[in-house]
Amino acid sequence: MSNKYNLSGKLLVAAAVFSLTGCTRDIDTDVLATYPVLSDVFIDEFASDLQYQAWGKVTNFSVDTDTKYDGTSSMKIEVPNPGDPMGSWAGGTFYSTTGRNLSDYDALTFYAKSSIPTKVEVGLGNYDKVEYLVEVQDVKLNTNWNKIIIPIPNPAKLLSEKGLFYYSAGAVDGEGYTIWFDEVRFERLGTLAHAKIEDIEIPGFQGRLNVGTLTEIINLPNGVNQKMLVSPNYFTFESSDASVASITNNVITIQKKGEAVISLKEAEGKIRVNCFDLAPVPQRNASEVLSLFSDSYTNKITANWNPRWEYSTAEYTEINTGDNHIAQYSGLNFVGIVFNAVADCSSKNYLHLDVLCMDEINANSELKIEIHDRNGNNVVYLVRRDTHADFESKQWLSLDIPLNENGKQIAQIVLACSEDIPNILLDNIYFY
């Protein structure tokens, strides 16, 4: 069975950092320099190999000779108003036509300011193969020039990189504004330290899953611990138990049920893989079933699995094992599964679902399932609470919940849990 699962649904993955001093992790920097070793990107003018590709409003970029941090000019970005017919945001990438060997540098640095306080996204590697893409989100700018540092997780990997710098920015409070970038170059700072990815605990099933975006924290020269997103291609991974889960080329192969810890050579932190059995295969005849989420039936109900209700902290991911799909909620306190159309369950008597709790369960652990019908302003007409008595950690629990005879026009299901069990898996959700 082929199992493919991304740790993150986000396309852009961003720069984590590694310091050649102040960190005990080792990086092999013994590389061959087959591409030009150039540090400058924009110092008063484009570097000799530099080209620009615009995103959003294609005319958002220009060279400004009036406002600059140093020298004779800067890069000027005009962020448009949301209703601009030429584009509602500003973005672009600066790339090398030949590719560069950046293995001598540990950071991309530049100076930036804005006509109003704002936040922008910046990074490198966003061109051509996008193999070593680096992203720093929510970089704060104001009317003063500030130096921005984008550390490179493992410079030895960047032997022929074309994507040198990119940016993305949108309007603030419905209004456009101006950003300036200057003195854009690669540097070897030697003062970046304590690279560590945030520990991750993910579910796995027999087959394969892909390591996607990682979050890393690095200590910058000013003492700030900056959080960034990281491409896994910068790292070398090792498994604590290859008989349970091995890893090659950022692909984790699950061998059997159990637990394995994936560590990184170039940074602290770990990926803990819990390998579970699949949920029981439903045995009911398809003619009896109205399915929302199951690979055993044709799903005739569609839903919004995370409507982002106020105060909800839930995050939703769908795991694709190749032959099966599993719904995953992390950080769950409560969440609505809101049907896109009312489900007529007048001929059905039960809601079935299989649920697995990834966390340890104790006497006070509680999972609550509410079924809401369309009548009476979506009044809750059934509540089910399951505690440790029939809900075991890391084991599938099959629930068959009776429907209320007076309310079978189902509009939504609501899940809620106590704070000690925020990570659950769901499968085989249907009415019968």
Side-chain angles (χ1 to χ4, degrees), residues 7 27 38 46 94 99 122 128 164 170 173 185 187 192 197 208 219 239 270 286 307 315 337-338 341 375 403 407 421:
L7 303 184
I27 290 180
L38 301 173
F46 276 33
F94 298 85
V122 292
D128 197 24
L164 303 181
D173 296 331
R185 57 163 62 91
E187 293 189 65
L192 306 173
I197 68 162
R208 302 197 308 166
N219 187 259
S239 173
K270 57 184 177 291
E315 295 294 336
I337 303 174
V338 181
N375 300 323
L403 300 182
I421 54 169

Side-chain angles (χ1 to χ4, degrees), residues 119-130:
K119 295 179 181 179
V120 300
E121 178 180 300
V122 292
L124 63 94
N126 196 2
Y127 184 76
D128 197 24
K129 297 179 181 179
V130 195

Side-chain angles (χ1 to χ4, degrees), residues 307 309 336-343 370-383 404 406-414:
W309 288 346
I337 303 174
V338 181
F339 298 174
N340 293 327
V342 171
E370 300 178 354
I371 305 172
H372 295 203
D373 76 346
R374 178 61 69 185
N375 300 323
N377 296 319
N378 292 335
V379 172
V380 177
Y381 66 83
L382 184 146
V383 175
N404 190 315
N406 297 321
K408 293 188 176 182
Q409 302 301 306
I410 310 300
Q412 64 189 29
I413 299 169
V414 176

Side-chain angles (χ1 to χ4, degrees), residues 177-341:
Y177 53 93
T178 304
I179 297 171
W180 292 268
F181 299 118
D182 201 0
E183 303 295 301
V184 186
R185 57 163 62 91
F186 290 91
E187 293 189 65
R188 187 177 188 84
L189 300 177
T191 52
L192 306 173
H194 311 305
K196 184 184 185 303
I197 68 162
E198 289 188 343
D199 291 345
I200 301 171
E201 186 165 350
I202 61 173
F205 302 89
Q206 190 171 357
R208 302 197 308 166
L209 59 89
N210 294 326
V211 177
T213 305
L214 301 175
T215 300
E216 184 156 1
I217 299 171
I218 188 69
N219 187 259
L220 299 181
N222 61 5
V224 172
N225 288 322
Q226 185 170 357
K227 182 181 291 188
M228 294 157 290
L229 300 178
V230 184
S231 167
N233 292 317
Y234 283 105
F235 299 106
T236 305
F237 297 96
E238 296 176 334
S239 173
S240 65
D241 190 344
S243 69
V244 173
S246 59
I247 181 166
T248 304
N249 297 327
N250 302 333
V251 177
I252 301 173
T253 301
I254 308 299
Q255 313 289 351
K256 62 182 180 181
K257 183 178 179 181
E259 181 178 285
V261 175
I262 308 298
S263 58
L264 296 78
K265 177 182 177 182
E266 298 85 354
E268 298 290 341
K270 57 184 177 291
I271 303 170
R272 188 180 302 276
V273 183
N274 285 300
C275 310
F276 304 118
D277 291 328
L278 293 171
V281 177
Q283 301 299 316
R284 291 184 176 83
N285 192 296
S287 62
E288 304 174 359
V289 169
L290 180 60
S291 181
L292 167 64
F293 188 92
S294 178
D295 291 284
S296 296
Y297 305 109
T298 300
N299 296 319
K300 296 183 179 180
I301 306 171
T302 60
N304 180 348
W305 289 78
N306 191 357
R308 301 288 180 180
W309 288 346
E310 188 175 10
Y311 306 120
S312 173
T313 58
E315 295 294 336
Y316 174 76
T317 302
E318 183 176 307
I319 303 170
N320 182 359
T321 72
D323 295 331
N324 292 277
H325 297 77
I326 299 97
Q328 177 187 0
Y329 283 106
S330 58
L332 177 64
N333 54 355
F334 65 90
V335 72
I337 303 174
V338 181
F339 298 174
N340 293 327

